[in-house]
Amino acid sequence: PVESGGWDAFKVEWAISGICCLVTILITLWSVVNHSRHYVVRDEQRQILRILYMPAVFSLVSFLSFHYYDGYTYFSLIDSVTISAFLLLLVQYVAKSTMGGDIHDALAMKEKRKMPLFTCFRYRPTKPYFVHAIKWSVLQFVIIRPLGSLVGIICEAADVFCESEGMDLHYAYGYINIITLISMIIAMYGLIVFFLVVKSNIEERKPLKKFISVKFIVFVPTLQSFVLSFLKRKDIIKATDSLTATEVMNGINSMLICLETVFLGFLMRSAYNVSEYKNHNPLVKGFIGAILDSINPLDFLYEIASSLPFFAQHNQADPATRGRGFQQNRRHVSFSEAFNVDNSAGYSERVDLGHYRSPSSVPLTVEPQEV
């Protein structure tokens, strides 16, 4: 905690963090208000608002950690929401990138691809397993991250969390960190695979800048924490008369995050510009209506639950789960619809697998040409 007295290094860090936090909140509020006033494409802007919240929330949590250090450990689950929201945003972009909203046109030319980094493995984007595997690889982070924080709270109460011991596997902190890190890597890998498949279809939406901003908010703080932990173990970061080495390390980390979120706030304002949503009448009137819609988590829960019947059918070797599906004509575009695949077992979308028909079964007619 910040103590009274002169301006030592810790208080300087606290003051710098406070100023940066205020600037980041103002930038975020500017972006959020603009999108809320022009809330015209609900399925897209709901995800955009969730992403735009992240710099301010990260910065505020980091600043508060100077006073409430113990709580900082448990608030670090914001990045899971960002990754998942960006995935669902890409789904909406891809679904609307073709004439008439027929996503099969966008995927018809997609061939087998090599897995990034693991080039000995290949995958076919038009197969149903692809979309469901991608969805779960990303959305599992929304489950694992909060569970890790909940377990951390319980372990802290039982006095077995011991963050000060670092990655010592005699304590819970090391195990929770390892599991959370693996979950985050899987989520980011799934997002990268998906992004590489669809980026050519949504180039007019400038997806690279959006993708970089999401990677920044996930990887930079994580990498930074590991570097600072390494410096502490090597006694480069040391205790002071009033602070432990862990408190000094977390103070530096919090200040750096507050500095970085200022840059991130400007980057996200540029990447998720409201200009393309202007010149329309808003669907939700008022700032509060848009905010309430963006914090409603039901779409996350739906996308997580909607894949369960597919995996159940797939484990039973149902042939419909191993071929291509079809796109239903609905106003709301779900993950399965965006990729023109069967949702299996009729969960919410009322898909009858008995009437499954692969697009490849449509006869191809070739007109003769004169030479």
Side-chain angles (χ1 to χ4, degrees):
V2 179
E3 299 179 354
S4 60
W7 282 87
D8 57 12
F10 196 69
K11 281 197 172 181
V12 171
E13 293 173 0
W14 174 74
I16 294 174
S17 299
I19 294 171
C20 292
C21 178
L22 179 60
V23 172
T24 303
I25 290 174
L26 291 175
I27 297 170
T28 299
L29 190 60
W30 185 15
S31 301
V32 168
V33 168
N34 280 334
H35 272 280
S36 299
R37 290 176 57 202
H38 304 281
Y39 199 67
V40 295
V41 185
R42 177 174 178 258
D43 292 333
E44 293 180 11
Q45 288 179 281
R46 176 167 52 182
Q47 310 305 335
I48 290 175
L49 285 175
R50 289 168 175 169
I51 295 170
L52 289 175
Y53 297 149
M54 293 308 107
V57 175
F58 257 124
S59 186
L60 183 60
V61 169
S62 297
F63 174 67
L64 291 177
S65 70
F66 282 90
H67 276 284
Y68 306 102
Y69 164 69
D70 290 337
Y72 177 67
T73 305
Y74 316 127
F75 288 134
S76 302
L77 43 96
I78 313 159
D79 44 4
S80 63
V81 176
T82 305
I83 295 175
S84 302
F86 185 67
L87 173 70
L88 298 183
L89 177 63
L90 288 181
V91 169
Q92 297 302 323
Y93 284 167
V94 175
K96 296 172 183 177
S97 65
T98 58
M99 295 293 293
D102 186 0
I103 199 62
H104 183 259
D105 293 340
L107 295 180
M109 303 302 294
K110 306 291 184 183
E111 300 295 337
K112 274 188 175 181
R113 294 169 174 255
K114 293 181 179 179
M115 297 287 291
L117 300 180
F118 307 102
T119 55
C120 55
F121 297 102
R122 293 173 178 266
Y123 65 94
R124 191 186 296 275
T126 54
K127 294 289 186 179
Y129 70 80
F130 172 74
V131 293
H132 290 286
I134 289 293
K135 179 165 66 171
W136 262 93
S137 70
V138 175
L139 294 178
Q140 54 82 25
F141 195 36
V142 179
I143 301 173
I144 299 297
R145 190 64 148 167
L147 283 179
S149 295
L150 178 61
V151 172
I153 294 172
I154 297 172
C155 291
E156 180 70 23
D159 201 25
V160 295
F161 188 67
C162 301
E163 183 180 0
S164 61
E165 300 297 329
M167 299 303 292
D168 188 339
L169 296 183
H170 290 91
Y171 303 99
Y173 176 77
Y175 291 101
I176 293 173
N177 253 18
I178 291 172
I179 293 172
T180 302
L181 179 61
I182 293 173
S183 176
M184 185 191 71
I185 291 173
I186 293 172
M188 285 304 301
Y189 185 81
L191 191 61
I192 289 171
V193 170
F194 182 74
F195 179 80
L196 292 176
V197 170
V198 303
K199 68 175 183 178
S200 61
N201 302 99
I202 56 174
E203 288 181 351
E204 71 280 359
R205 310 302 290 268
K206 300 179 180 178
L208 184 59
K209 186 186 292 187
K210 296 177 171 65
F211 185 65
I212 290 174
S213 67
V214 170
K215 287 190 68 176
F216 182 95
I217 205 170
V218 174
F219 273 116
V220 171
T222 302
L223 178 61
Q224 188 171 277
S225 295
F226 275 97
V227 170
L228 291 174
S229 296
F230 174 79
L231 295 177
K232 181 174 104 35
R233 286 197 301 271
K234 296 297 182 181
D235 281 334
I236 298 174
I237 295 178
K238 299 180 180 181
T240 66
D241 294 337
S242 58
L243 300 169
T244 66
T246 300
E247 290 172 334
V248 172
M249 177 191 71
N250 282 289
I252 296 172
N253 190 42
S254 296
M255 183 189 68
L256 291 175
I257 289 176
C258 289
L259 287 168
E260 292 155 0
T261 52
V262 175
F263 164 76
L264 186 60
F266 282 113
L267 177 61
M268 283 195 168
R269 175 169 174 77
S270 173
Y272 300 94
N273 198 289
V274 74
S275 58
E276 61 182 294
Y277 299 109
K278 291 183 177 179
N279 304 322
H280 299 280
N281 293 324
L283 297 179
V284 179
K285 298 217 181 256
F287 174 80
I288 300 299
I291 298 300
L292 291 176
D293 190 48
S294 67
I295 63 177
N296 185 346
L298 290 181
D299 56 329
F300 282 165
L301 299 178
Y302 168 76
E303 294 298 348
I304 291 172
S306 63
S307 286
L308 295 177
F310 173 86
F311 289 122
Q313 295 283 343
H314 190 275
N315 289 336
Q316 296 173 7
D318 192 317
T321 64
R322 302 174 186 272
R324 297 182 182 180
F326 58 91
Q327 180 181 4
Q328 289 182 307
N329 184 19
R330 290 172 53 195
R331 183 176 179 274
H332 175 71
V333 184
S334 70
F335 198 106
S336 300
E337 291 174 325
F339 272 86
N340 195 31
V341 298
D342 189 280
N343 194 35
S344 77
Y347 186 93
S348 180
E349 296 182 1
R350 313 297 184 193
V351 177
D352 184 0
L353 292 179
H355 296 85
Y356 170 84
R357 186 185 185 192
S358 169
S360 60
S361 63
V362 179
L364 177 64
T365 303
V366 179
E367 297 293 336
Q369 298 182 358
E370 294 183 2
V371 179

